[in-house]
Amino acid sequence: MPEPLPATSVIAETVDKYADDLVALRRDLHAHPELSWAEERTSEAVATALEGAGWAVTRPEGGGVLAEIGHGGSLVALRADLDALPVDDLISDPWKSTNPGVAHACGHDVHTAGLVGAGLALAEVATRGLLRGRVRLLFQPAEEVMPGGALHLISAGALEGVSHVFGLHCDPSLDVGRVGLREGPLTGAADALTVRLIGKGGHTSRPHLTEDLTFALGKVITELPAILSRRLDPRAGVSVVWGMVRAGSAHNVIPHGGVVAGTVRMLDAVAWADAEHLIRQLITSIVAPYSVTAEVTYQRGVPPVVNHEESTRLLGIGVENVLGPHGHVSTAQSLGGEDFGWYLDSVPGAMARLGTRTPGGPTYDLHQGNLRVDEGATTIAARVLAEAAVTALGA
């Protein structure tokens, strides 16, 4: 492992100094979650903390926070997401959500507080003359909706001049004090699919006089995933999973309309490029024998997160400077969607998985209202992100 940079001790001291404040911030954000594109209070808290530390802060129209510090040299970006999910918070801690039906069930409160901590540490590094370039912090709105707020920040110039971009995402299956790292694909592409069928309804005793829309809808539900598995390379890991189906209101009435909606996920960017055209074609073929009309809404969501080789190496060094040589562990590619992939379509970068499970404690799942995190992950996130930045600037 390379010798730690002089900034390493400054980062550790500063994060330790603000540790209680960062945990308090994380709890405050958890208690006041905000949905995608509505992260006003969260953004204000972030901006206030960074402006007080000497960062040049801007608030792009439409949402989010950008902050920059340093002079000359290369420019490295660090990203966190701000939004919560429309689920009930099921924890019993004093910092339980005060916003009914909204909760930080994906750890974005940890991401945000961690990046604020990295900002405080990097401000101190800059004050001591140890920052060898510039750092830009990207506090992004709307990660939880497709196609994601990353495109919004990119259009606001968030990546202009950036040489590397780094991010972390909570992983409740990994113990706190461990960071999952992987070169190459880390997540899958994720799209949203809605199929609405329209046809002649009637009595269930006379299906031959109708277009039996419910039967056709069932065919879409079962046959589309099956046919896709034979039309796309199986190594692409294509997965169509339905989350909602609705048709009819009586047991003896064939309805004239119905809808099914779900997600289309895959591991491979090449398959992602071809998926929409093929899916539209297949749905038309599936419903053709039943004479119903299919209205397909296909929303391209996010590409896979594909970690750049050099960026992954730099992030790994940053992890080692914080947690030692055994601090990072290998992690598998998942089918989860993450709009950090849009950043990596534009500049080199890497995302890692931040362990949030208390050793020996229960394993929770993301997007569930009972998610609990070990709060030690907040300060680890702060140090790892700050280290990634100074490592990339010092390389």
Side-chain angles (χ1 to χ4, degrees), residues 134-172:
R134 294 170 291 148
V135 180
R136 183 179 296 154
L137 306 183
L138 318 181
F139 290 89
Q140 178 204 305
E143 187 276 333
E144 294 291 358
V145 295
M146 294 183 183
L151 293 175
H152 163 67
L153 284 193
I154 292 171
S155 68
L159 295 182
E160 290 179 6
V162 169
S163 60
H164 296 276
V165 58
F166 300 104
L168 296 173
H169 197 292
C170 289
D171 185 345

Side-chain angles (χ1 to χ4, degrees), residues 13-394:
E13 292 169 6
T14 307
V15 171
D16 185 61
K17 173 184 174 181
Y18 289 107
D20 291 344
D21 294 335
L22 295 176
V23 170
L25 173 61
R26 181 257 156 181
R27 292 180 179 183
D28 179 72
L29 297 178
H30 192 95
H32 301 90
E34 296 172 301
L35 293 175
S36 302
W37 301 117
E39 307 94 335
E40 285 299 319
R41 185 184 184 278
T42 305
S43 297
E44 185 62 33
V46 166
T48 299
L50 294 175
E51 285 172 342
W55 287 77
V57 176
T58 58
R59 300 279 297 272
E61 184 178 354
V65 179
L66 298 177
E68 192 165 327
I69 203 166
H71 303 281
S74 298
L75 173 61
V76 172
L78 305 174
R79 175 268 203 172
D81 34 19
L82 301 169
D83 54 332
L85 285 160
V87 301
D88 290 323
D89 195 347
L90 303 179
I91 69 170
S92 57
D93 299 294
W95 52 90
K96 179 178 180 177
S97 172
T98 59
N99 188 359
V102 182
H104 272 296
C106 198
H108 295 190
D109 49 345
V110 177
H111 304 167
T112 299
L115 187 53
V116 168
L120 298 176
L122 290 167
E124 185 62 25
V125 171
T127 297
R128 300 194 191 187
L130 298 174
L131 192 62
R132 305 177 185 177
R134 294 170 291 148
V135 180
R136 183 179 296 154
L137 306 183
L138 318 181
F139 290 89
Q140 178 204 305
E143 187 276 333
E144 294 291 358
V145 295
M146 294 183 183
L151 293 175
H152 163 67
L153 284 193
I154 292 171
S155 68
L159 295 182
E160 290 179 6
V162 169
S163 60
H164 296 276
V165 58
F166 300 104
L168 296 173
H169 197 292
C170 289
D171 185 345
S173 70
L174 195 62
D175 282 351
V176 67
R178 295 289 181 268
V179 173
L181 205 58
R182 177 187 177 88
E183 179 187 320
L186 180 71
T187 68
D191 298 337
L193 172 64
T194 301
V195 181
R196 186 177 302 276
L197 299 187
I198 302 169
K200 181 182 178 182
H203 200 287
T204 56
S205 65
R206 295 181 289 276
H208 60 292
L209 300 180
T210 75
E211 290 165 352
D212 204 348
L213 182 140
T214 308
F215 189 83
L217 200 62
K219 286 292 187 179
V220 172
I221 292 170
T222 58
E223 291 192 14
L224 180 62
I227 298 172
L228 274 177
S229 71
R230 296 299 183 269
R231 293 291 301 274
L232 290 173
D233 190 330
R235 292 171 296 180
V238 178
S239 172
V240 177
V241 178
W242 307 109
M244 185 273 286
V245 58
R246 184 171 62 244
S249 58
H251 69 279
N252 58 353
V253 177
I254 296 173
H256 59 77
V259 62
V260 60
T263 57
V264 182
R265 301 176 186 271
M266 61 206 74
L267 301 175
D268 182 69
V270 175
W272 186 57
D274 299 333
E276 178 179 358
H277 174 74
L278 178 59
I279 286 172
R280 289 181 179 277
Q281 182 185 76
L282 292 177
I283 291 171
T284 299
S285 299
I286 290 168
V287 303
Y290 312 103
S291 299
V292 298
T293 299
E295 297 178 352
V296 179
T297 302
Y298 193 102
Q299 183 176 25
R300 280 173 66 83
V302 295
V305 171
V306 182
N307 285 340
H308 185 266
E309 178 182 3
E310 176 64 7
S311 301
T312 305
R313 184 187 72 82
L314 294 170
L315 182 53
I317 293 172
V319 173
E320 291 182 16
N321 286 346
V322 177
L323 301 172
H326 302 295
H328 56 75
V329 297
S330 62
T331 189
Q333 184 181 7
S334 78
L335 276 172
E338 165 58 73
D339 72 352
F340 192 80
W342 289 120
Y343 298 116
L344 302 190
D345 268 4
S346 301
V347 300
M351 169 171 274
R353 295 188 172 128
L354 176 73
T356 62
R357 181 178 61 192
T358 300
T363 300
Y364 296 95
D365 197 5
L366 298 173
H367 287 213
Q368 299 298 303
N370 67 342
L371 175 69
R372 299 189 83 252
V373 300
D374 189 306
E375 293 185 314
T378 303
T379 52
I380 290 173
R383 290 182 61 189
V384 167
L385 288 170
E387 286 285 351
V390 299
T391 300
L393 291 175

